[in-house]
Amino acid sequence: MVTPTCLPTVLRRCHTCASGRFRANGKFRVNANHKLIDVWLLALCAACGATAKLTVVERAHVRSVRPGLLDRLHANDAVLAAELLQDPVLRRRNRIALDWDGAWRLDTGGTDHPGHEAIDVSVRFAAPVPVRPVRLIAEGCGLSRAGVERLVADGSLVSAVRLSGRLSGDFTFTLKR
Ligand SMILES: [Zn+2]
């Protein structure tokens, strides 16, 4: 199971310095003006600390905000921040991309069957975290990335999906011994 361990890095150009990396820390800014409400998710430039405001809600009617959401916003709910960053609509609107390097973990269930010729491993994603399967298999199986690439090259590691590039959905692979 691929599980996020912290918020991903937000990729966005900083207007103050030349950096392109921001850290969201789960803090929100809420501005209610009469009946209208604006909500931003805050992200700090990794280089200079400048704050970027990512639009979550823009001039919406206060009553249109779903119950419970305001409480979570005021509590600076990091889980909510993670959910919002996974929303492609929010990413497009704010022209940001995400870098998940170092922000996920692979939990292995110990599905090794000693004595078997081959093991089938299914990888499930708790969140659509884009990861390189080669790296994921290397971590999960305790191999080097070069070792995994060698197994792919000699046909000892096969999958219905392309193992080069990135994946963010469930897949299975078979490791032959
Ligand atoms: Zn900056």
Side-chain angles (χ1 to χ4, degrees):
M1 177 79 86
V2 176
T3 313
T5 52
C6 60
L7 293 174
T9 300
V10 174
L11 302 179
R12 183 187 206 265
R13 186 60 45 200
C14 178
H15 294 304
T16 307
C17 73
S19 170
R21 300 175 73 81
F22 282 76
R23 276 269 166 218
N25 54 9
K27 291 227 170 12
F28 293 92
R29 185 166 299 163
V30 180
N31 185 12
N33 197 342
H34 300 294
K35 291 184 177 108
L36 295 177
I37 185 168
D38 288 291
V39 178
W40 299 275
L41 172 61
L42 304 183
L44 301 180
C45 173
C48 74
T51 303
K53 296 196 295 184
L54 308 178
T55 302
V56 177
V57 171
E58 192 171 30
R59 300 192 73 69
H61 211 276
V62 171
R63 267 179 290 175
S64 74
V65 175
R66 67 177 189 270
L69 180 63
L70 274 179
D71 292 337
R72 295 179 76 187
L73 291 168
H74 286 302
N76 291 315
D77 186 334
V79 174
L80 176 63
E83 287 169 10
L84 290 168
L85 286 172
Q86 283 163 31
D87 178 3
V89 175
L90 180 135
R91 292 208 299 272
R92 266 199 306 278
R93 179 189 217 175
N94 290 284
R95 295 196 191 91
I96 58 166
L98 301 179
D99 181 353
W100 283 94
D101 268 10
W104 56 272
R105 171 187 79 219
L106 178 68
D107 301 321
T108 47
T111 46
D112 201 353
H113 306 294
H116 284 217
E117 297 275 292
I119 56 167
D120 290 318
V121 180
S122 65
V123 179
R124 291 186 301 133
F125 285 71
V129 177
V131 293
R132 295 188 182 284
V134 168
R135 180 174 160 191
L136 190 137
I137 294 166
E139 289 197 12
C141 301
L143 300 164
S144 67
R145 271 192 251 186
V148 172
E149 274 156 10
R150 264 197 307 278
L151 291 171
V152 173
D154 71 16
S156 301
L157 200 166
V158 292
S159 175
V161 300
R162 272 186 61 224
L163 294 173
S164 54
R166 286 175 191 264
L167 282 174
S168 57
D170 299 354
F171 70 101
T172 59
F173 64 89
T174 302
L175 184 60
K176 299 171 192 168
R177 301 178 171 233

